[in-house]
Amino acid sequence: RLDASWRVACVRGPKTADLMEIDADKAVCDGAILLSDFHDVVPPSRRQGVAFVPHVHTARAIGHGLSEICGNLGLDYVTPDLPHEDFVGAISRARYVLAEAMHGAILADTMRTPWLCCHIMHHNRFKWQDWCGSLGVPYDPVYLGARFSDAGLTSPARLPHVMVSALRRRRIEGRLKKLMREGAPLLSEEQVLAGRKRQLRGLAEEINQEFAA
């Protein structure tokens, strides 16, 4: 618990507020929702395709295979380590985003791109529930399957591992394909998002007035 020397302007969501034992009105939202103040929202008529955004650690571990899977399915493979403008642009132009990376979903939501939470390797339930709770959207993640290996067959002894990896990869590809066809993407209510953005802007102005002088 924080002592009296701390002053908290806001936190990401209600679960963080509960954990820190601070007033519930401090639970505002993740600051990344303000990115839409600096980028144009693309009209629905100009959007196309579905994007998959892996967690950065998933991309580093099995990115080669995931990129191939996305290519097979016609998914736009969008990694969080892309240059800023490329990352924002890819998500903004998509019709629908499948996000393992939470900030992929946060950016999608504020740019008004419908999104769905899915995961393979990295998923922080607390963070996702916290952010979803701040905007009143349901937390309903889809598990895509166990991670596979990007390593090839280097010796006969590795054959069983390669076969298991191939089956896992096929399962992930099948589940992604199903989500592209049947997934029910989410989007926060416009008024709720706008209200959270107003709160964050107001808090930023208060901080600037007090400390930037």
Side-chain angles (χ1 to χ4, degrees), residues 52-205:
F52 173 65
V53 186
H55 189 281
V56 65
H57 294 309
T58 303
R60 289 171 182 166
I62 57 173
H64 178 72
L66 285 175
S67 179
E68 288 185 344
I69 287 172
C70 289
N72 294 340
L73 297 175
L75 273 168
D76 191 8
Y77 182 61
V78 183
T79 58
D81 58 357
L82 284 174
H84 169 79
E85 292 292 339
D86 293 343
F87 186 70
V88 174
I91 289 178
S92 300
R93 293 189 300 269
R95 177 176 54 82
Y96 167 24
V97 168
L98 298 169
E100 182 183 43
M102 187 181 74
H103 279 88
I106 293 173
L107 176 61
D109 195 82
T110 196
M111 298 305 293
R112 302 285 78 192
T113 303
W115 55 272
L116 191 149
C117 171
C118 57
H119 64 102
I120 301 169
M121 288 175 55
H122 293 276
H123 183 76
N124 189 311
R125 180 184 299 268
F126 179 93
K127 289 182 178 181
W128 274 93
Q129 289 179 327
D130 197 36
W131 170 65
C132 288
S134 73
L135 291 174
V137 294
Y139 168 73
D140 189 21
V142 176
Y143 179 55
L144 296 176
R147 65 166 289 181
F148 53 87
S149 172
D150 266 348
L153 181 61
T154 55
S155 71
R158 281 194 49 80
L159 181 59
H161 301 284
V162 171
M163 292 177 66
V164 169
S165 183
L167 288 172
R168 289 178 174 180
R169 177 170 165 161
R170 189 177 304 166
R171 184 177 298 119
I172 290 171
E173 183 167 343
R175 289 177 180 172
L176 281 171
K177 184 176 182 179
K178 184 176 181 180
L179 286 179
M180 291 175 68
R181 185 176 63 250
E182 302 176 8
L186 303 169
L187 201 60
S188 67
E189 293 184 12
E190 189 75 46
Q191 290 184 334
V192 174
L193 178 65
R196 294 305 191 192
K197 290 174 69 175
R198 281 195 300 271
Q199 286 180 275
L200 287 174
R201 290 192 207 103
L203 289 165
E205 182 62 25

